[in-house]
Amino acid sequence: MLALSAAVCAGFTVAEDGYAMYREAVASVSLSDRIQEIQAREGYTELEDLPETYRNAVVSVEDHRFYEHIGVDFIAIGRAIVSDIRAGRFVEGGSTITQQLAKNLYFSQEKKMERKIAEVFLAFDLERNYSKDEILELYVNSIYFGDGYDNVGQASVGYFRKKPSEMTEYESTLLAGIPNAPSRYAPTKHPDLAHQRQKQVLRRMEACGYYTQEEAETVAAQMVAMAP
C-alpha cells in the first residue's frame, strides 16, 4: 500500500512538473509566434504543394491514427508503456505527430517524463487551435532530414534538386523515412540504410491500405540519383 501511495505521489509530481514546463515554454514565446518562425523558414512548403504519396507515407510511418485522435494516441501510449517495462528502460514514447510538433516547437530531445507531459499539454493546444492538415504541414516543415536540411522543402531540393511538388513516389517514400534517424538514413551518406528504411515506410503504407503489395514492390524497385 505504501509503495502504491508513493507511486501515485510521484506521478502527481511528474505531472505538475510537466505542466510547469509547458506553462514556462508558452510564456517565453507564444505558440502563434513560434509557428510564425517555422513558417518564415526558407523552404517552407504548404501541404497542398506536397505529393499525396508523401503525405500518406508520413502519416503511415509516424502516426497512422493521426486524423482520428485528439493529439494523444492512448493506444500507442499503452503499447509504449508495455515496451518500456519489458526493456526496463525508456525505449518507446508513443508520440503522435502533434506531440512531435510540440517537441520541435519548444523542447529538447531529452527523454524525460516531465517533457512528455509538457508535450501532451501543448499537443492539446495545437489541436484546439489548428486543423489536422495545418498540424501536418507544420510538422513536415519543422523536422530534420539530415545534411543540414531543416524542412521538407530544403530536403527535396537538396537531395533531388526538385521542388517538393515534383517528387516521385520513390522520392516521396524515401524522404518520409529519413527523420526517424537523419544521421543514419541520410541517403547521400548511407544509401543502403536509407533504402531499408524506405522499405519499412512502404510496408506501413501497405498495412494502412495506401498500396497493394505489388504497388509497394514496384516503388521499392525504382532508383533515383542523389544530388551531389
Side-chain angles (χ1 to χ4, degrees):
M1 192 68 178
L2 288 174
L4 178 60
S5 297
V8 170
C9 289
F12 277 119
T13 299
V14 170
E16 288 178 350
D17 290 346
Y19 181 73
M21 183 181 294
Y22 151 74
R23 293 299 302 169
E24 182 180 352
V26 295
S28 63
V29 182
S30 71
L31 181 56
S32 60
D33 284 349
R34 186 68 83 191
I35 285 174
Q36 286 177 12
E37 291 176 9
I38 298 296
Q39 293 170 330
R41 287 181 181 174
E42 180 182 357
Y44 186 91
T45 306
E46 295 183 358
L47 199 66
E48 63 185 22
D49 293 324
L50 293 170
E52 184 178 14
T53 297
Y54 176 74
R55 302 196 301 267
N56 292 341
V58 171
V59 171
S60 296
V61 77
E62 295 293 342
D63 182 6
H64 69 279
R65 283 185 287 269
F66 173 66
Y67 284 99
E68 302 166 14
H69 61 61
I70 58 173
V72 176
D73 187 341
F74 294 103
I75 296 174
I77 289 175
R79 184 187 66 240
I81 290 173
V82 172
S83 297
D84 292 345
I85 290 173
R86 286 176 176 172
R89 57 192 177 89
F90 193 32
V91 295
E92 187 176 342
S95 292
T96 63
I97 283 175
T98 313
Q99 287 174 264
Q100 291 181 61
L101 173 60
K103 177 180 64 180
N104 294 341
L105 289 172
Y106 283 99
F107 306 116
S108 70
Q109 301 293 324
E110 187 179 7
K111 291 183 177 181
K112 294 181 64 176
M113 286 305 301
E114 293 87 345
R115 193 214 74 200
K116 299 294 294 183
I117 297 297
E119 280 179 20
V120 169
F121 284 112
L122 190 55
F124 290 150
D125 269 2
L126 286 163
E127 293 276 347
R128 279 195 299 269
N129 292 287
Y130 298 91
S131 71
K132 287 288 188 178
D133 283 350
E134 288 173 326
I135 290 169
L136 181 58
E137 178 179 302
L138 289 163
Y139 171 72
V140 299
N141 282 285
S142 65
I143 48 180
Y144 185 57
F145 289 84
D147 279 12
Y149 306 134
D150 292 319
N151 58 37
V152 63
Q154 293 177 17
S156 178
V157 172
Y159 286 130
F160 311 128
R161 294 293 187 263
K162 291 182 176 182
K163 297 177 182 178
S165 60
E166 299 170 340
M167 287 193 297
T168 65
E169 289 182 282
Y170 183 95
E171 292 161 344
S172 293
T173 53
L174 183 69
L175 203 63
I178 297 172
N180 178 259
S183 61
R184 179 178 175 83
Y185 297 130
T188 50
K189 293 181 172 61
H190 305 287
D192 290 342
L193 293 178
H195 189 57
Q196 290 176 23
R197 172 61 177 165
Q198 181 189 28
K199 288 183 178 180
Q200 294 176 352
V201 173
L202 289 166
R203 284 195 294 270
R204 286 299 308 146
M205 293 183 73
E206 183 184 341
C208 293
Y210 293 115
Y211 279 138
T212 65
Q213 182 178 354
E214 183 179 358
E215 289 169 337
E217 290 175 351
T218 299
V219 174
Q222 301 169 21
M223 292 295 291
V224 298
M226 293 296 107

